[in-house]
Coordinates of all heavy atoms in Angstrom, one line a residue:
F1 N 0.8 -1.2 0.0 CA 0.0 0.0 0.0 C 0.9 1.3 0.0 O 0.6 2.2 -0.7 CB -0.9 0.0 1.2 CG -1.7 1.3 1.4 CD1 -2.8 1.6 0.6 CD2 -1.3 2.2 2.4 CE1 -3.5 2.7 0.8 CE2 -2.0 3.3 2.6 CZ -3.1 3.6 1.8
L2 N 1.9 1.3 0.8 CA 2.8 2.5 0.9 C 3.5 2.7 -0.5 O 3.6 3.9 -0.9 CB 3.8 2.3 2.0 CG 3.4 2.3 3.4 CD1 4.6 2.2 4.4 CD2 2.6 3.5 3.7
W3 N 3.9 1.7 -1.1 CA 4.5 1.9 -2.4 C 3.5 2.3 -3.5 O 3.9 3.1 -4.4 CB 5.2 0.6 -2.9 CG 6.6 0.4 -2.3 CD1 7.0 -0.7 -1.5 CD2 7.7 1.2 -2.4 NE1 8.3 -0.6 -1.1 CE2 8.8 0.6 -1.7 CE3 8.0 2.4 -3.1 CZ2 10.0 1.2 -1.6 CZ3 9.2 3.0 -3.0 CH2 10.2 2.4 -2.2
F4 N 2.3 1.8 -3.4 CA 1.3 2.3 -4.3 C 1.0 3.8 -4.2 O 0.9 4.5 -5.1 CB 0.0 1.5 -4.1 CG -1.2 2.0 -4.9 CD1 -1.3 1.7 -6.2 CD2 -2.2 2.8 -4.3 CE1 -2.3 2.1 -7.0 CE2 -3.2 3.2 -5.1 CZ -3.3 2.9 -6.4
V5 N 1.0 4.2 -2.9 CA 0.8 5.7 -2.7 C 2.0 6.4 -3.1 O 1.9 7.5 -3.7 CB 0.5 5.9 -1.2 CG1 0.5 7.4 -0.9 CG2 -0.7 5.3 -0.7
A6 N 3.2 5.9 -2.9 CA 4.4 6.6 -3.4 C 4.5 6.7 -4.9 O 4.8 7.8 -5.4 CB 5.7 5.8 -2.9
F7 N 4.1 5.7 -5.6 CA 4.1 5.7 -7.0 C 3.1 6.8 -7.5 O 3.4 7.6 -8.4 CB 3.7 4.4 -7.6 CG 3.4 4.4 -9.1 CD1 4.5 4.5 -10.0 CD2 2.1 4.2 -9.5 CE1 4.2 4.6 -11.4 CE2 1.8 4.3 -10.9 CZ 2.9 4.4 -11.8
C8 N 1.9 6.8 -7.0 CA 0.9 7.7 -7.4 C 1.3 9.2 -7.1 O 1.1 10.1 -7.9 CB -0.5 7.4 -6.8 SG -1.2 5.8 -7.3
F9 N 1.8 9.3 -5.9 CA 2.2 10.7 -5.4 C 3.4 11.2 -6.3 O 3.3 12.4 -6.8 CB 2.6 10.6 -4.0 CG 2.8 11.9 -3.3 CD1 2.3 13.1 -3.9 CD2 3.4 12.0 -2.1 CE1 2.4 14.3 -3.2 CE2 3.6 13.2 -1.4 CZ 3.1 14.4 -2.0
L10 N 4.4 10.4 -6.5 CA 5.6 10.9 -7.2 C 5.2 11.1 -8.7 O 5.7 12.1 -9.3 CB 6.7 9.9 -7.1 CG 7.3 9.7 -5.7 CD1 8.4 8.7 -5.7 CD2 7.9 11.0 -5.2
A11 N 4.4 10.2 -9.3 CA 4.1 10.4 -10.7 C 3.2 11.6 -10.9 O 3.4 12.4 -11.9 CB 3.3 9.1 -11.1
N12 N 2.3 11.9 -9.9 CA 1.4 13.1 -10.1 C 2.2 14.4 -9.9 O 2.0 15.3 -10.7 CB 0.3 13.0 -9.0 CG -0.6 14.2 -9.0 OD1 -0.3 15.2 -8.2 ND2 -1.6 14.2 -9.9
Q13 N 3.1 14.4 -9.0 CA 4.0 15.6 -8.8 C 4.9 15.8 -9.9 O 5.2 17.0 -10.3 CB 4.7 15.5 -7.5 CG 3.8 15.6 -6.2 CD 3.0 16.9 -6.2 OE1 3.5 18.0 -6.2 NE2 1.7 16.7 -6.1
W14 N 5.5 14.7 -10.5 CA 6.3 14.9 -11.6 C 5.6 15.4 -12.9 O 6.1 16.1 -13.7 CB 7.0 13.5 -11.9 CG 8.0 13.6 -13.1 CD1 7.8 12.9 -14.3 CD2 9.2 14.2 -13.2 NE1 8.9 13.2 -15.1 CE2 9.7 14.0 -14.4 CE3 9.9 15.1 -12.3 CZ2 11.0 14.5 -14.8 CZ3 11.1 15.6 -12.7 CH2 11.6 15.3 -14.0
Q15 N 4.3 15.0 -13.0 CA 3.5 15.5 -14.1 C 3.3 17.0 -14.1 O 3.3 17.6 -15.1 CB 2.2 14.7 -14.1 CG 1.3 15.1 -15.3 CD 0.0 14.3 -15.2 OE1 -0.3 13.6 -14.3 NE2 -0.9 14.5 -16.2
W16 N 3.3 17.5 -12.9 CA 3.1 19.0 -12.7 C 4.4 19.7 -12.6 O 4.3 20.9 -12.3 CB 2.2 19.2 -11.5 CG 0.7 18.8 -11.7 CD1 0.2 17.6 -11.2 CD2 -0.3 19.4 -12.4 NE1 -1.1 17.5 -11.6 CE2 -1.4 18.6 -12.4 CE3 -0.3 20.6 -13.2 CZ2 -2.6 19.0 -13.0 CZ3 -1.5 21.0 -13.8 CH2 -2.7 20.2 -13.7
T17 N 5.5 19.1 -12.7 CA 6.8 19.7 -12.5 C 7.1 20.6 -13.8 O 7.0 20.1 -14.9 CB 7.9 18.7 -12.3 OG1 7.6 18.0 -11.1 CG2 9.2 19.4 -12.2
T18 N 7.5 21.8 -13.6 CA 8.0 22.7 -14.7 C 9.4 22.4 -15.0 O 10.3 22.5 -14.1 CB 7.8 24.1 -14.3 OG1 6.4 24.4 -14.0 CG2 8.2 25.0 -15.4
M19 N 9.7 22.0 -16.2 CA 11.1 21.7 -16.6 C 12.0 22.9 -16.6 O 11.6 24.0 -17.1 CB 11.1 21.0 -17.9 CG 10.4 19.7 -18.0 SD 11.1 18.5 -16.9 CE 12.7 18.3 -17.5
S20 N 13.1 22.8 -16.0 CA 14.1 23.9 -16.0 C 15.5 23.2 -16.2 O 15.6 22.0 -16.3 CB 14.0 24.7 -14.7 OG 14.3 23.9 -13.6
K21 N 16.5 24.0 -16.1 CA 17.9 23.5 -16.3 C 18.2 22.5 -15.1 O 18.8 21.4 -15.3 CB 18.9 24.6 -16.4 CG 20.3 24.1 -16.6 CD 21.3 25.3 -16.7 CE 22.7 24.7 -16.9 NZ 23.7 25.9 -17.1
G22 N 17.9 23.0 -13.9 CA 18.2 22.1 -12.7 C 17.3 20.9 -12.7 O 17.8 19.8 -12.3
V23 N 16.1 21.0 -13.1 CA 15.2 19.8 -13.1 C 15.6 18.8 -14.1 O 15.6 17.6 -13.9 CB 13.7 20.3 -13.4 CG1 12.8 19.1 -13.6 CG2 13.2 21.2 -12.2
S24 N 16.0 19.3 -15.3 CA 16.5 18.4 -16.3 C 17.7 17.6 -15.9 O 17.9 16.4 -16.4 CB 16.8 19.2 -17.6 OG 17.8 20.1 -17.4
Q25 N 18.5 18.1 -15.0 CA 19.7 17.3 -14.6 C 19.3 16.1 -13.7 O 20.0 15.1 -13.7 CB 20.6 18.3 -13.8 CG 21.3 19.3 -14.7 CD 22.1 20.3 -13.9 OE1 22.2 20.2 -12.6 NE2 22.8 21.2 -14.6
G26 N 18.2 16.3 -13.0 CA 17.8 15.2 -12.1 C 16.6 14.4 -12.7 O 16.0 13.7 -11.9
A27 N 16.3 14.6 -13.9 CA 15.1 14.0 -14.5 C 15.2 12.5 -14.5 O 14.2 11.8 -14.2 CB 14.8 14.5 -15.9
D28 N 16.4 12.0 -14.9 CA 16.5 10.5 -14.9 C 16.4 9.9 -13.6 O 15.8 8.8 -13.4 CB 17.9 10.2 -15.5 CG 18.1 10.6 -17.0 OD1 17.0 10.7 -17.6 OD2 19.2 10.7 -17.4
A29 N 16.9 10.5 -12.5 CA 16.7 10.0 -11.2 C 15.3 10.0 -10.7 O 14.8 9.1 -10.1 CB 17.6 10.8 -10.2
A30 N 14.5 11.1 -11.1 CA 13.1 11.2 -10.8 C 12.3 10.1 -11.5 O 11.5 9.4 -10.8 CB 12.6 12.5 -11.2
R31 N 12.6 9.8 -12.7 CA 11.9 8.7 -13.5 C 12.3 7.4 -12.9 O 11.4 6.5 -12.8 CB 12.3 8.8 -14.9 CG 11.8 10.1 -15.6 CD 12.0 10.0 -17.1 NE 11.6 11.2 -17.8 CZ 12.5 12.2 -18.2 NH1 13.8 12.0 -17.9 NH2 12.1 13.3 -18.8
A32 N 13.5 7.2 -12.5 CA 14.0 5.9 -11.9 C 13.2 5.7 -10.5 O 12.8 4.6 -10.3 CB 15.5 5.9 -11.6
A33 N 13.1 6.7 -9.7 CA 12.3 6.6 -8.5 C 10.9 6.2 -8.7 O 10.3 5.4 -8.0 CB 12.4 7.9 -7.7
I34 N 10.3 6.8 -9.7 CA 8.9 6.5 -10.0 C 8.7 5.1 -10.6 O 7.9 4.3 -10.2 CB 8.3 7.5 -11.1 CG1 8.3 8.9 -10.5 CG2 6.9 7.1 -11.5 CD1 7.9 10.0 -11.5
T35 N 9.7 4.7 -11.5 CA 9.6 3.4 -12.1 C 9.8 2.3 -11.0 O 9.0 1.3 -11.0 CB 10.7 3.2 -13.2 OG1 10.5 4.3 -14.1 CG2 10.6 1.9 -13.8

């Protein structure tokens, strides 16, 4: 259950994230955490 909430929470917040130079540097790590 906790991992289900984590997946939904992280995926939702990543969807609303505005891409910038700093964000693009950590984009792969964010996608890895969601996956």
Side-chain angles (χ1 to χ4, degrees):
F1 173 75
L2 292 183
W3 279 120
F4 175 76
V5 175
F7 168 74
C8 296
F9 192 15
L10 296 178
N12 177 264
Q13 292 301 305
W14 180 248
Q15 184 180 2
W16 292 100
T17 300
T18 302
M19 295 301 297
S20 62
K21 183 178 180 181
V23 172
S24 61
Q25 293 177 355
D28 291 339
R31 295 188 184 97
I34 295 172
T35 301

